[in-house]
Amino acid sequence: MLEAGLLKEPTGRPWPPNEKSRRPFQRYPVIDLSFEGFEYSDCSSFREAICTRIRALFREHHVVFEDGRPSELKVQRYREIIDGTAGEHIYVRALFYLSQYLYEHHGERVVILIEDYDTPVLAGQQHGYARDVRDWHERFLMAALKDNPHLYKAVVMGTVRLPLGSLWSGSNLVVSSLLESNFADAFGFAEAEVEELLDRVGRRDDLALVRDWYGAYKLGGTIKYKPSSVLRFFAQNEREPKVFLPACSRGCLRALLHRRDLREAVQTLLAGDLVELPYPLWMTIEPPMFDETIWRLVFMGYLTAEMRSRGPGELPVYHVSVPNEEMRLLIEALAGR
């Protein structure tokens, strides 16, 4: 997770704890962009998809261009984006332009939320067009997140830290991960929440079953459950648990599991043993090192990692394991064991 600072008043003073969640509510215009499902086999399909998504964003904020105040240039740019005739340089800077227009309209800087930011580049790596899509993606994110005077705050979510050097250098982005405790309450269901859900559907006796199948993720020192699988299990009429995972994610997982340098580690994990990894000082998809590939499986939610101290003055190590039956069966099937 990447975020550009803590919530503060315009004066720079922190809000009182009881007002922290209410003060920003409906105050800042929000640009919400997700790259979920951007797993295309070629770069042109990616570009077509992102242009479609950008057009949807501009339509969502159409009122900004219809109140009589925007200049002729801004209205023209809006129309070109909507009808698909804008040049590539316009689409690359689309989030910058939209944040500028929203700021001028509302008088407040914008919040930009970007989910699954790494999906296009991971797909490009899998299908052989990583260099092209990374190039485009870096320029797109740079325009929106770096040196954008209309930006109040950005939150960027992904499973790996991409090697976008120009974006990270000299920026005000703070990198946090699932391994850290400061965001432990932002991911997954806690056991108390699962117990409450089970009580609501009259299935409290299924707690141990749900824990074995969809729990045991260790995030920031706490035990969490996978929300999507838990909810789908509750929604089904049958009592038997199943493997719940979107089909689009299985191709990426299969490709990782069939890497030669992972074969031994996968067999160790499926046997119920731990794999010990050093502290991840730098996580990136390039170069494709063994440890980094294992970490990708952790951050994609297929494995879980628990920190173990090695004493004062030493970096900790992490014990990686298969968290539950759902992931064990999935990995076993896709690894071809």
Side-chain angles (χ1 to χ4, degrees), residues 222-336:
T222 63
I223 302 299
K224 291 299 184 72
Y225 291 69
K226 185 179 178 184
S228 59
S229 295
V230 170
L231 293 175
R232 291 178 69 180
F233 174 66
F234 289 159
Q236 67 175 5
N237 294 325
E238 299 136 5
R239 295 280 174 155
E240 290 298 319
K242 297 178 181 178
V243 175
F244 299 116
L245 188 75
C248 62
S249 300
R250 300 189 184 201
C252 182
L253 176 59
R254 183 182 287 109
L256 290 173
L257 292 175
H258 282 269
R259 286 175 58 106
R260 231 174 248 185
D261 55 354
L262 277 187
R263 190 172 299 163
E264 185 178 342
V266 169
Q267 296 306 317
T268 299
L269 291 166
L270 289 176
D273 296 324
L274 300 169
V275 171
E276 186 175 280
L277 295 183
Y279 185 82
L281 290 171
W282 178 255
M283 284 174 290
T284 175
I285 63 170
E286 291 181 347
M289 296 171 62
F290 167 80
D291 290 349
E292 292 168 348
T293 308
I294 289 283
W295 279 121
R296 281 180 61 187
L297 293 172
V298 172
F299 283 94
M300 293 170 76
Y302 302 120
L303 301 176
T304 188
E306 187 172 19
M307 186 175 72
R308 288 286 184 264
S309 174
R310 294 197 298 178
E314 297 286 337
L315 286 172
V317 295
Y318 282 86
H319 288 171
V320 177
S321 60
V322 178
N324 50 49
E325 280 297 294
E326 180 185 40
M327 289 299 104
R328 184 187 66 78
L329 289 173
L330 180 67
I331 292 171
E332 191 174 80
L334 296 182

Side-chain angles (χ1 to χ4, degrees), residues 7 38 82 133 159 168 218 225 230 235 247 323 328:
L7 290 174
F38 274 57
I82 293 300
V133 72
T159 56
W168 310 126
K218 302 175 180 70
Y225 291 69
V230 170
R328 184 187 66 78

Side-chain angles (χ1 to χ4, degrees), residues 202-214:
R203 298 177 64 172
R204 185 59 179 266
D205 293 342
D206 286 339
L207 178 60
L209 180 68
V210 175
R211 184 189 298 124
D212 290 343
W213 271 79
Y214 309 119

Side-chain angles (χ1 to χ4, degrees), residues 64-312:
V64 173
F65 304 92
E66 297 172 357
D67 65 356
R69 285 184 288 174
S71 66
E72 185 178 338
L73 174 62
K74 292 173 186 175
V75 173
Q76 178 185 346
R77 188 174 286 155
Y78 171 76
R79 289 172 179 164
E80 289 176 350
I81 287 175
I82 293 300
D83 63 24
T85 60
E88 181 171 309
H89 66 287
I90 298 296
Y91 285 108
V92 166
R93 294 182 59 80
L95 293 190
F96 176 88
Y97 291 135
L98 185 55
S99 62
Q100 175 190 351
Y101 303 156
L102 288 169
Y103 170 74
E104 292 172 351
H105 180 81
H106 296 285
E108 292 281 3
R109 289 179 296 162
V110 305
V111 172
I112 296 180
L113 308 176
I114 300 179
E115 186 177 357
D116 294 327
Y117 89 109
D118 51 339
T119 299
V121 180
L122 294 175
Q125 186 191 40
Q126 183 179 350
H127 296 291
Y129 63 93
R131 183 183 296 276
D132 289 339
V133 72
R134 188 178 63 198
D135 231 31
W136 197 99
H137 209 36
E138 182 172 2
R139 289 185 290 130
F140 178 74
L141 294 174
M142 282 269 293
L145 306 179
K146 193 172 180 181
D147 300 325
N148 182 353
H150 318 293
L151 176 66
Y152 167 65
K153 180 174 182 172
V155 180
V156 184
M157 298 283 293
T159 56
V160 297
R161 184 177 177 181
L162 297 178
L164 306 179
S166 299
L167 178 62
W168 310 126
S169 62
S171 66
N172 193 30
L173 291 172
V174 177
V175 181
S176 297
S177 78
L178 292 174
L179 302 176
E180 300 170 43
S181 59
N182 54 336
F183 285 104
D185 61 350
F187 302 97
F189 284 160
E191 182 147 307
E193 293 172 313
V194 175
E195 289 176 350
E196 182 180 349
L197 287 169
L198 285 166
D199 285 339
R200 289 187 180 186
V201 297
R203 298 177 64 172
R204 185 59 179 266
D205 293 342
D206 286 339
L207 178 60
L209 180 68
V210 175
R211 184 189 298 124
D212 290 343
W213 271 79
Y214 309 119
Y217 290 97
K218 302 175 180 70
L219 305 181
T222 63
I223 302 299
K224 291 299 184 72
Y225 291 69
K226 185 179 178 184
S228 59
S229 295
V230 170
L231 293 175
R232 291 178 69 180
F233 174 66
F234 289 159
Q236 67 175 5
N237 294 325
E238 299 136 5
R239 295 280 174 155
E240 290 298 319
K242 297 178 181 178
V243 175
F244 299 116
L245 188 75
C248 62
S249 300
R250 300 189 184 201
C252 182
L253 176 59
R254 183 182 287 109
L256 290 173
L257 292 175
H258 282 269
R259 286 175 58 106
R260 231 174 248 185
D261 55 354
L262 277 187
R263 190 172 299 163
E264 185 178 342
V266 169
Q267 296 306 317
T268 299
L269 291 166
L270 289 176
D273 296 324
L274 300 169
V275 171
E276 186 175 280
L277 295 183
Y279 185 82
L281 290 171
W282 178 255
M283 284 174 290
T284 175
I285 63 170
E286 291 181 347
M289 296 171 62
F290 167 80
D291 290 349
E292 292 168 348
T293 308
I294 289 283
W295 279 121
R296 281 180 61 187
L297 293 172
V298 172
F299 283 94
M300 293 170 76
Y302 302 120
L303 301 176
T304 188
E306 187 172 19
M307 186 175 72
R308 288 286 184 264
S309 174
R310 294 197 298 178

